[in-house]
Amino acid sequence: MVDDTEHRELGSTLFNHTWELLETDPRTEDEDLELLLAAAASRWHWQHVGTVRHRATGDWQVARALSALGAGDLALRFAARALRSCELEGAGGWQLASAHEGVARAHQVRADLAARDVHVTAARAALAEEEDADDRAAIEAQLADLTDHD
């Protein structure tokens, strides 16, 4: 059985590993599978010990992995779940901006650029409330990655 400490450690380690795989370019087919499994496993561990915000971040990361793999419909499902959680929790700043970025990215994969742009605008509005420059810069870079390819 996995205890709470192990859930936290595994959730965090898998989250970080997912980021490493997202930044790997190009990825092999096996790395693509590993990306999806690591993101889902991280989310699963946080389900057991995390807060609503941890779970929302996990849903966002699963959406990000799915978007990277071209699975726009499923990515949108997870991204929308992350956004709903953030809105219900009253999250703002970088976390709300990140959730909108996830929805925007899923829409981009689905080739719905109008819907993407709605969420990019919402993400930028949420970022305007973020006081931490590093958090703001991280999300701004993700948003730029979305819109620089038009």
Side-chain angles (χ1 to χ4, degrees), residues 51-64:
T51 65
V52 171
R53 291 186 184 195
H54 286 110
R55 292 187 295 275
T57 300
D59 286 338
W60 171 85
Q61 192 180 55
V62 171
R64 180 69 185 256

Side-chain angles (χ1 to χ4, degrees), residues 114-127:
R116 177 204 66 184
D117 291 346
V118 166
H119 287 279
V120 166
T121 298
R124 288 191 171 128
L127 273 184

Side-chain angles (χ1 to χ4, degrees), residues 15-134:
F15 183 89
N16 291 333
H17 183 59
T18 299
W19 267 116
E20 292 170 7
L21 289 166
L22 281 166
E23 294 173 349
T24 299
D25 185 31
R27 283 186 306 276
T28 66
E29 187 176 323
D30 286 343
E31 288 170 327
D32 281 346
L33 178 59
E34 186 177 342
L35 168 66
L36 180 58
L37 294 175
S42 173
R43 170 60 177 85
W44 183 83
H45 283 290
W46 284 115
Q47 177 175 314
H48 295 284
V49 293
T51 65
V52 171
R53 291 186 184 195
H54 286 110
R55 292 187 295 275
T57 300
D59 286 338
W60 171 85
Q61 192 180 55
V62 171
R64 180 69 185 256
L66 288 163
S67 288
L69 299 174
D73 290 340
L74 192 52
L76 183 57
R77 186 173 175 182
F78 277 90
R81 181 181 168 96
L83 180 57
R84 278 192 310 274
S85 294
C86 287
E87 290 172 341
L88 288 172
E89 283 294 299
W94 75 267
Q95 188 156 30
L96 181 59
S98 181
H100 277 292
E101 180 276 334
V103 174
R105 188 173 299 275
H107 280 301
Q108 180 165 301
V109 171
R110 297 174 73 242
D112 186 345
L113 300 185
R116 177 204 66 184
D117 291 346
V118 166
H119 287 279
V120 166
T121 298
R124 288 191 171 128
L127 273 184
E129 299 175 16
E130 179 57 57
E131 295 178 8
D132 186 282
D134 291 337

